[in-house]
Every structure is written in C-alpha cells, then in structure tokens.
C-alpha cells in the first residue's frame, strides 16, 4: 500500500534494511524481528500494522510516513543521540543482534520504559505539567507539525484535553484547521470524534463547517472504528457511513454460531452490562481481533524455517498494567475461544453496540431506560458510582449467581429479543421514567437529611480519600485509557487535579442545600416534560425545555466558572450540553420548517435521552457537593 516507501528506509530499532511493519502510535517503521518484540508488548505500548498486507486508511498511512520521514524516532531515542551515551556503553540494537535478549531488551527499554525519552525538569505539580503540555498540544494541532505533537503526547499531553478557556479539545482545533493528519494522530492516542465543545458541537461539525469534507468523513469512520473492525473481521465488509449505514451485523448460518446454553447465557449477561463495562469488553475483543489478524499476516509473511519460533508467537493478549488482574485474565481467556465461539461473541457485541447507540439515545427501549435510570435513581453516593466496580470478566463469568441481576435480565429478555432500534416509546416506559424520577427526588431528600446529620456529627475521619479523580493523586488510570483506540467515556481526558485528602472543603463549591434545591427544580421540570410527551402535547416541549434550561443555568451558576475538580467540570459539562441539546431537539417540533417532515417519535426519544443526561448530571453534582462539603 505504501507507494512512498524508499529502499533507503531502515528499521527504527535496529537499522535493518527494508522494514515491512509500522508502529502506528510511535510513528516508526520496523523490521520483522523487531516487530515480533513489539507484538509481545501489547497494543497499549505499540500498535503494529504490516505496510503491504494490512488494509490502511490512506491518511493514517500518510500520518505514519510523515512522522517517520520527519524524525519521529528521535523522540524515543533522544538521549542515545548524545555522544556521552556511546561513551557510557548505551547503544541501540543493530541488525546482527539476537532478538532475545539483545533486541528485546532494547525495544522494551525504548518503548515500555521510555528510557531514552527527553525528560521534563521535575516539578512538584505533575498535573499542572500535564495541563501545560495539553495546552501546548491544543495550540500545535492547528499546524502541520506532526512530530511536535507526537513529542507532546509522548511527554504526557492528553489527546482529549478540554481547554477551559477555549471550550473545546485539540481534535476540534485540528478539525477546524483541516489538519487531517493531526486528527489521525490524535485519534490514535484516543481522541474522541464525538466529544462536544462548550456549545455542543463535535469535531465532525467543525470539519463540515470549515468545508473539510474528507476530514469529516474520516472522523465518522474513526468514531465507528471499533465496530467497523469487528464487522470486517467477520465478513470483509465495512458499513457505508456516507449513506448513513453505521453498522453491519453479519448474517451467518446457524451452524456457524455457538448456540449452546452457555453462549445464550453469556449473551444475556453481555446485554445487562453497564455501558462502561460493555465498552471495556468491546475494547478487549477489538484487541483480540487485532491479535488474531496480525498473527495471520505474520504467519503468511515470515520465513517459517527461521523466524517463526516459540519466542515470536503471541499466544494471547499481553498484560496491560493499567488494567486490573481480573480484566487481564479475562482478556487472555479470549484466546481460548474457537472460531465459532469467537464469531458468536463478536456478533453479539456488534448487535448490542447497535442497540445501545441507536436504542438508547433514539428508540427509548425499555432496556436502555432502565440502564440510564439505574444511574439516576439507585446510586446513593460517589462511592457507589465509581468504587469497587466489577471487571467485565467477573460480571460475565459463568459463576454469576446474583439473583437480582438474573431476574432483571430475564425480565428484559423479551424486549431484547425484539427489534430494539425502531420501536416507539410506550406509555408503560414513560410511567417507569416518571416513577424513577420520583424515586430520585426521594433519594435527594434523603441526601439532604443525611447531609444535615453528618454536619452535626462530623469527625475528622472520612472516606474522602476514596472519591475518584479529585482526591487520589495516583488514580491516573482513567486518564490514560484513552491512549488506546476505543470508545472514549471520560469527560475530557485531562489529568485529574491533585488534591490532598482531608483538606478543608473548597470555599468556592456551593452549599449542598442550594444544589439540592436546584436539582429538585430540574427534576420537577423534567417530570412536566415527560407528562407532555406521554399525553402527546408536543407543543409543550419548547416551553418545558426552556424552563429546564433556566433551571440548569441557575444550577450551573452556583459553581465557579473554572472549578478545580475534574469530576465537577465533567458533570457540569454534561448538564449544560444536555440542556442545549434538549432545546435543539424540542425546536424540531415547530411547524413550517423546510425539508422532510419531522419524525415526532424520533424527536420524543431524543428528548427523553437529553432529559436523562440532565437528571444524571444533576444527581452527580449533588453527591459530589454532599461529600466534599461534609469533609
């Protein structure tokens, strides 16, 4: 595929001639022997592709070639360029070195330990250093200087950094400037094309507004890269995104699918996973697909008599130290699936991904209503939202004996087996929504009472240390997950602020009572909107949405413009952007708009989703302020 490869190009790790592989996220070309080591490191360290025998999006290949030709390898070998390194005996590998241990030790030091990367001067506030780097990245991506941006990313800049003053991310900036190669690089490091700016616009919107249509189409492809890769693995085809087809669910003969009772039970468990755990599982299966496909290319391109040995085989996914041991064990178990079992799993994930994307925001299916309302109604504190979350392997294991979960799954199965992408919202579902919001109000009242009691009986000891992101300076895993190509779920991808535990509450946070009062107002307005929808009073949508917007604005005004807490920023952004989206959707009910007639059912379903997001964000802000103000 690479027409521009020249015979003068050499392996970035050992200087061997005619490299046939690329490390996409490192911007280097590597030879077969060095690639065998890269593959054993895992995709979180090096994402390898064969230059000729692996399908490449043209601009992704161009991005890697540009980095290689502009000296990206010097980023990873910075200190080796110093003559003092040679004097001290430190050197890079050469073509004559043995793969093990010589080349392997060098490559691990270079990419896994980052032993030769230029280090920044030590500072007390590492989070501020990362934010400074991320702001530099935010400015740099409007230019074509890829190697500068790769250097910033290598030092810890965050691809999903949300600039507090600019109100957008580096991918928004690159998209506006039409920098398609920068967009490719950011996406490789986990930038999310679906991230909204402070006005609710995505990078795709920026690209289209700037007339960069090729970039806009590529961003849509990147957004669906995970499911596209799974579909291509099974049937060799990808969806036609230009014409609105975003999913392909391969149709296979029943004899090709694993229809055992265990497979059916696993499918039910998969459907009951939270969105967060489902995305983790999908990422893991994506990595397993990549491993299997790369193995196939590897075996087809090697000299079997010399290179293919036990030391070059990657029998299962390498351990990712950022994941829990349970999740790593689950990832490695994927290698045990035979072709039929794995195809069944991939199809189940594709089907459920389509259901969650089209069903949750659009169809208002009962399953997704329950999933979202579980977040709104049944979580009592930040701990229940973030701490002790089970890894997908334990959730999806055959030993799951949770009766409540089993009953919930059984009750939902009838709905799940039907067409979930186009079904209308039923009156019963609206009643469930209303009941859940009433329950949410009751929880808020309980929180208010608990808040008052805790203030009266507070002691210096608390579980403040367990609050995620803002209190644990070592909790950097979530900010680094986005460095793998995946569905990104973190709000802005920035490094969490470091806050010392057991400090006095921030004086700029509003009182818990004020936040609860505004949340009650928001909840009542949402109930009014749902009643209007239930009674088909579509002309009431706009006034209801305006009242919700006013309540949200008043709620947001309680907080500082630049809150120190990353969790508060994320919740506020979800709250305000959802309110803007709600207004936008409700305006579609106005008569007289040009174009095709409005699908009122579709609008209603989108309105419901916006309302859920608003309620969820408000509840998060209540729990955050309750915890921090009581410490």
């Amino acid at each position: 595929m690479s027409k521009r490869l020249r015979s003068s190009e050499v392996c970035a790790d050992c200087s061997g001639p005619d490299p046939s592989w690329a490390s996409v996220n490192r911007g280097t070309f590597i030879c077969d022997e060095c690639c065998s080591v890269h593959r054993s490191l895992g995709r979180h360290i090096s994402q390898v592709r064969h230059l000729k025998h692996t399908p490449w999006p043209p601009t992704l290949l161009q991005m890697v070639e540009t980095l290689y030709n502009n000296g990206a390898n010097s980023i990873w070998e910075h200190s080796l360029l110093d003559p003092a390194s040679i004097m001290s005996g430190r050197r890079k590998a050469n073509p004559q070195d043995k793969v093990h241990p010589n080349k392997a030790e060098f490559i691990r030091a270079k990419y896994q330990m980052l032993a030769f990367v230029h280090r920044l001067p030590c500072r007390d506030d590492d989070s501020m250093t990362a934010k400074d780097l991320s702001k530099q990245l935010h400015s740099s991506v409007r230019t074509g200087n890829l190697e500068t941006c790769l250097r910033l990313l290598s030092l810890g800049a965050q691809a999903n950094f949300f600039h507090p003053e600019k109100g957008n991310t580096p991918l928004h900036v690159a998209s506006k400037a039409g920098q398609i190669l920068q967009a490719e690089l950011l996406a490789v490091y986990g930038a999310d094309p679906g991230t909204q700016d402070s006005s609710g616009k995505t990078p795709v919107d920026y690209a289209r507004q700037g007339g960069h249509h090729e970039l806009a189409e590529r961003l849509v492809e990147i957004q669906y890269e995970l499911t596209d890769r799974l579909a291509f693995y099974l049937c060799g085809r990808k969806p036609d995104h230009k014409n609105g087809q975003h999913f392909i669910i391969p149709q296979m003969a029943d004899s090709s699918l694993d229809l055992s009772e265990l497979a059916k039970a696993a499918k039910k468990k998969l459907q009951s996973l939270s969105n967060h755990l489902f995305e983790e599982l999908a990422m893991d299966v994506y990595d397993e697909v990549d491993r299997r496909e790369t193995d196939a290319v590897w075996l087809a391109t090697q000299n079997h008599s010399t290179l293919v040995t036990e030391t070059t085989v990657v029998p299962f996914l390498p351990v990712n130290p950022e994941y829990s041991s349970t999740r790593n064990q689950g990832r490695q178990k994927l290698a045990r699936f035979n072709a039929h079992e794995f195809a069944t799993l991939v199809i189940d994930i594709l089907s459920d991904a389509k259901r969650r994307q089209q069903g949750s925001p659009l169809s208002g299916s009962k399953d997704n209503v329950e999933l979202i309302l579980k977040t709104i109604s049944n979580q009592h504190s930040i701990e229940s939202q973030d701490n002790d979350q089970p890894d997908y392997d334990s959730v999806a294991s055959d030993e799951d004996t949770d009766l409540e979960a089993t009953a919930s799954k059984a009750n939902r199965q009838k709905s799940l087996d039907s067409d979930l992408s186009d079904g209308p919202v039923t009156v019963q579902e609206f009643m469930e929504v209303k009941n859940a919001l009433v329950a949410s109000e009751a929880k808020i009242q309980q929180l208010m009472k608990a808040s008052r009691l805790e203030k009266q009986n507070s002691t210096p000891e608390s579980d403040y240390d367990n609050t995620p992101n803002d209190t644990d300076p070592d909790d950097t895993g979530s900010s680094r997950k986005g460095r793998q190509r995946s569905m990104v779920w973190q709000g802005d991808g920035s490094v969490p602020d470091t806050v010392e535990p057991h400090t006095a509450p921030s004086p700029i946070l509003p009182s818990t009572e004020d936040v609860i009062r505004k949340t009650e107002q928001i909840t009542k307005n949402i109930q009014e909107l749902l009643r209007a929808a239930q009674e088909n009073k579509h002309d009431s949508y706009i006034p209801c949405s305006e009242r919700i917007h006013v309540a949200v604005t008043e709620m947001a005004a309680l907080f500082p413009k630049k809150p120190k807490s990353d969790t508060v920023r994320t919740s506020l952004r979800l709250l305000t952007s959802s309110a803007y989206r709600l207004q936008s959707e409700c305006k579609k009910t106005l008569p007289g708009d040009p174009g095709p007639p409005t699908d009122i059912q579709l609008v209603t379903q989108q309105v419901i989703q916006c309302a859920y997001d608003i309620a969820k964000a408000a509840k998060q802000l209540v729990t955050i302020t309750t915890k921090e103000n009581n410490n």
Side-chain angles (χ1 to χ4, degrees), residues 262-287:
L262 283 178
K264 292 178 182 178
K267 181 176 182 179
K268 292 180 182 179
K269 291 172 183 176
L270 181 147
Q271 291 168 333
S272 69
L273 291 177
S274 69
N275 285 340
H276 173 76
L277 293 178
F278 175 77
E279 287 169 357
E280 286 191 349
L281 174 58
M283 285 172 59
D284 295 343
V285 172
Y286 176 97
D287 286 352

Side-chain angles (χ1 to χ4, degrees), residues 313-328:
V313 170
V314 183
F316 45 72
L317 289 174
V319 171
N320 185 336
E322 294 182 7
Y323 297 157
S324 68
S325 59
T326 306
R327 183 175 177 187
N328 275 311

